[in-house]
Amino acid sequence: MIRQATLQDVAAMVSIYNHAVEHTTATYDDAPYTIEQRFTWFERLAHAGMPIFVFEEEDQVLGYAALEPFRPDPAYRHTVMHSIYIHPASQGKGIGKQLLNTLVSAAKQADFVTLVAEIDGNNHASMRLHEQIGFRYSGTIQRCAQKFEQWLDLVFYQYDLR
């Protein structure tokens, strides 16, 4: 089931995120987060009115998703971006799709205009998922990041929420 995240979920969220940091290019962060850093992130988003959801099954958090401001400048106030992370043992089970649909609905309800996805250029499964939901490809920044001793391309997709 998908529900609003609470501070009690932060430890599970950190564990899921840090696995992505240490083993994937789903995030370009290259150092694990502490629980304290994730509490700060959680409180910042909550204070800004940004929703954070978890997918929970049998009292275990198997994934989470959040909306975040796209950029800090006021002109971007109608645009948000999202992040979705799934526990590695639960990937490929449709949890990401359910969370993404929930984020699209939440962004529409909040009267945002554009939802942006930033995806690693090698993450073809994520690109296909976004296309299935209705996101459109909007550009690639090539060789903009380096992780695991390889250059990475950042691909942008966007969803028109109107």
Side-chain angles (χ1 to χ4, degrees):
M1 108 174 148
I2 296 175
R3 63 169 173 77
Q4 288 281 339
T6 67
L7 285 173
Q8 288 73 31
D9 299 315
V10 170
M13 294 163 68
V14 167
S15 176
I16 291 167
Y17 186 76
N18 283 345
H19 183 274
V21 168
E22 294 170 345
H23 300 283
T24 77
T25 56
T27 174
Y28 290 175
D29 280 333
D30 57 7
Y33 275 49
T34 65
I35 289 179
E36 292 77 20
Q37 287 171 310
R38 255 340 197 200
F39 274 128
T40 300
W41 167 84
F42 188 100
E43 290 172 343
R44 178 177 50 82
L45 292 185
H47 180 74
M50 298 288 162
I52 306 169
F53 299 101
V54 295
F55 185 98
E56 181 182 66
E57 195 170 87
E58 297 178 10
D59 295 326
Q60 290 228 349
V61 173
L62 303 180
Y64 73 93
L67 292 179
E68 300 188 43
F70 177 62
R71 298 284 183 262
D73 302 318
Y76 293 111
R77 68 187 166 278
H78 301 290
T79 301
V80 288
M81 60 185 216
H82 73 77
S83 56
I84 299 174
Y85 293 94
I86 310 299
H87 187 282
S90 298
Q91 292 175 359
K93 298 180 179 180
I95 294 170
K97 186 174 189 175
Q98 291 178 59
L99 285 167
L100 184 53
N101 279 319
T102 300
L103 288 177
V104 168
S105 294
K108 285 179 179 179
Q109 289 175 354
D111 288 329
F112 290 112
V113 174
T114 302
L115 177 56
V116 174
E118 299 176 343
I119 305 170
D120 176 63
N122 292 316
N123 193 341
H124 301 290
S126 182
M127 287 183 246
R128 281 191 305 275
L129 170 61
H130 283 80
E131 289 168 358
Q132 289 172 2
I133 300 293
F135 282 74
R136 289 185 346 266
Y137 170 79
S138 57
T140 299
I141 302 174
Q142 297 176 341
R143 296 176 51 89
C144 65
Q146 193 175 40
K147 187 173 179 179
F148 304 136
E149 299 182 20
Q150 62 181 330
W151 284 103
L152 305 170
D153 298 344
L154 184 61
V155 177
F156 287 87
Y157 278 77
Q158 68 184 66
Y159 189 102
D160 185 345
L161 296 161
R162 292 171 291 166

